[in-house]
Amino acid sequence: MPHRDYLSPDYYVPLIFNGVRICVILLLAYIATVLTARFIRALRKYALKMMLKTGGGTQVEVEKRADTVGGVMRKSLVGLIWTIALIMVLREMNF
């Protein structure tokens, strides 16, 4: 009788643990995304200050350059973080 298996708590325990693991993975990916954004923002400020100090161009040009580099770095790292998180979630789901 296979329908009796669905009434047993033993059937749901592994599913609950996998669900908790998936939630932890997603939470850690979100935290890594926030920390990455903060790091890139701080790095952008530092790079902007150093480029202005060395005379790398006008302030507007330097800000554009720093925004471009920071945006590319942020999007690349965030994409990498969420790709790894997706692979880990799929692995938890036995795909």
Side-chain angles (χ1 to χ4, degrees):
M1 301 251 157
H3 66 280
R4 290 187 186 209
D5 291 338
Y6 296 127
L7 298 176
S8 170
D10 293 335
Y11 178 78
Y12 294 103
V13 169
L15 296 176
I16 292 171
F17 281 128
N18 282 347
V20 169
R21 282 191 212 118
I22 289 171
C23 288
V24 168
I25 290 168
L26 295 176
L27 178 67
L28 291 176
Y30 175 74
I31 291 170
T33 300
V34 170
L35 292 176
T36 299
R38 284 185 183 178
F39 173 73
I40 297 294
R41 224 177 358 256
L43 187 62
R44 180 198 170 277
K45 283 182 182 179
Y46 176 75
L48 186 63
K49 184 173 75 171
M50 294 309 290
M51 285 191 287
L52 287 173
K53 187 176 181 180
T54 60
T58 66
Q59 184 170 354
V60 174
E61 290 175 0
V62 170
E63 285 181 7
K64 284 182 185 179
R65 198 174 307 140
D67 286 341
T68 301
V69 172
V72 169
M73 286 176 53
R74 183 179 54 82
K75 288 180 182 180
S76 298
L77 289 174
V78 167
L80 179 66
I81 289 168
W82 285 103
T83 300
I84 291 170
L86 176 65
I87 291 170
M88 291 175 72
V89 166
L90 289 174
R91 197 171 198 181
E92 284 297 321
M93 296 172 67
N94 294 324
F95 276 101

